[in-house]
């Protein structure tokens, strides 16, 4: 997850991807680390080199990188769509308060969408939308369909329709 604005480039890994964490080391090493001065209420990031920031445009300045473990939850509503949505449950075990703002979401190094991050205090927990998992599809098939009518002329007729579905999850991995 890359966050625009005050805190840049936090990345989230699922526990399943811990073994692949070494791939990010080369990416992380390409940025010089910022010095952080914490006063308890706020953090001051001292950048390793001067940056010129024009007043007429928005720019991004790399401040810090951090990785947080995520437990992923997959959700689908096959009646409405075949898409499967991913949500990350994270704990901010970094020494920084993560500030609210818009964010860009990356999964396995690929951009999957944008989201909004609320304030996440140190040791705080948050649920972040990570977008659609394009490798999964869910469909439903009607397996059984029955219609029953009950009642009579004097009491009125009641029609009951029963459906039985089979849910099919397809993985393109």
């Amino acid at each position: 997850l890359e966050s625009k604005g005050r805190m840049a480039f936090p990345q989230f890994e699922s526990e399943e991807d811990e073994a692949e964490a070494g791939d990010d080391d080369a990416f992380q090493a390409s940025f010089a680390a910022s010095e952080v001065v914490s006063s308890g209420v706020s953090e001051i990031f001292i950048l390793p080199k001067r940056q010129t920031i024009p007043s007429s445009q928005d720019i991004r300045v790399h401040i810090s990188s951090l990785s947080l473990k995520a437990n992923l939850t997959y959700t689908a509503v096959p009646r409405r769509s075949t898409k499967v949505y991913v949500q990350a449950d994270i704990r901010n075990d970094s020494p920084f308060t993560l500030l609210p703002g818009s964010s860009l979401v990356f999964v396995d190094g690929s951009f999957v969408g944008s989201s909004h991050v609320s304030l996440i205090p140190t040791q705080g927990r948050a649920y972040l939308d990570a977008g659609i998992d394009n490798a999964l599809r869910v469909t439903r098939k009607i397996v059984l369909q029955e219609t029953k009518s009950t009642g009579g002329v004097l009491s009125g007729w009641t029609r009951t329709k029963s459906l039985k579905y089979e849910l099919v999850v397809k993985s393109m991995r």
Side-chain angles (χ1 to χ4, degrees):
L1 181 73
E2 174 185 302
S3 180
K4 286 181 172 178
R6 299 177 200 112
M7 177 59 96
F9 304 112
Q11 298 174 5
F12 302 99
E13 306 173 350
S14 69
E15 290 178 354
E16 302 156 359
D17 294 336
E18 276 188 66
E20 298 173 12
D23 297 342
D24 292 331
D25 292 341
F27 174 76
Q28 301 283 341
S30 66
F31 294 106
S34 302
E35 180 184 343
V36 181
V37 178
S38 181
S39 67
V41 178
S42 65
E43 281 87 25
I44 298 172
F45 294 89
I46 301 170
L47 302 178
K49 66 178 186 175
R50 288 186 162 272
Q51 299 284 329
T52 302
I53 302 173
S55 62
S56 61
Q57 65 188 54
D58 292 337
I59 69 162
R60 292 185 186 190
V61 177
H62 181 266
I63 296 174
S64 181
S65 295
L66 54 107
S67 293
L68 302 174
K69 291 180 184 175
N71 292 319
L72 303 179
T73 302
Y74 297 84
T75 304
V77 184
R79 180 178 183 179
R80 302 219 182 253
S81 172
T82 62
K83 297 175 182 172
V84 177
Y85 298 88
V86 182
Q87 190 176 56
D89 173 8
I90 64 155
R91 177 172 303 280
N92 181 11
D93 56 6
S94 77
F96 312 117
T97 296
L98 302 180
L99 300 175
S102 60
S103 63
L104 303 176
V105 180
F106 291 83
V107 174
D108 297 330
S110 299
F111 176 74
V112 294
S114 59
S115 186
H116 179 78
V117 177
S118 298
L119 181 99
I120 308 171
T122 301
Q123 297 304 318
R125 225 172 146 179
Y127 297 94
L128 305 174
D129 293 323
I132 297 169
D133 186 335
N134 290 318
L136 295 174
R137 291 281 178 258
V138 176
T139 56
R140 67 181 189 155
K141 295 180 185 176
I142 296 175
V143 178
L144 180 66
Q145 182 173 346
E146 289 181 350
T147 303
K148 293 182 182 177
S149 294
T150 57
V153 176
L154 297 176
S155 64
W157 291 96
T158 302
R159 183 177 290 177
T160 305
K161 185 175 183 177
S162 298
L163 298 170
K164 185 176 182 180
Y165 294 100
E166 174 182 85
L167 299 179
V168 179
V169 178
K170 183 177 179 183
S171 174
M172 277 69 94
R173 292 190 178 127

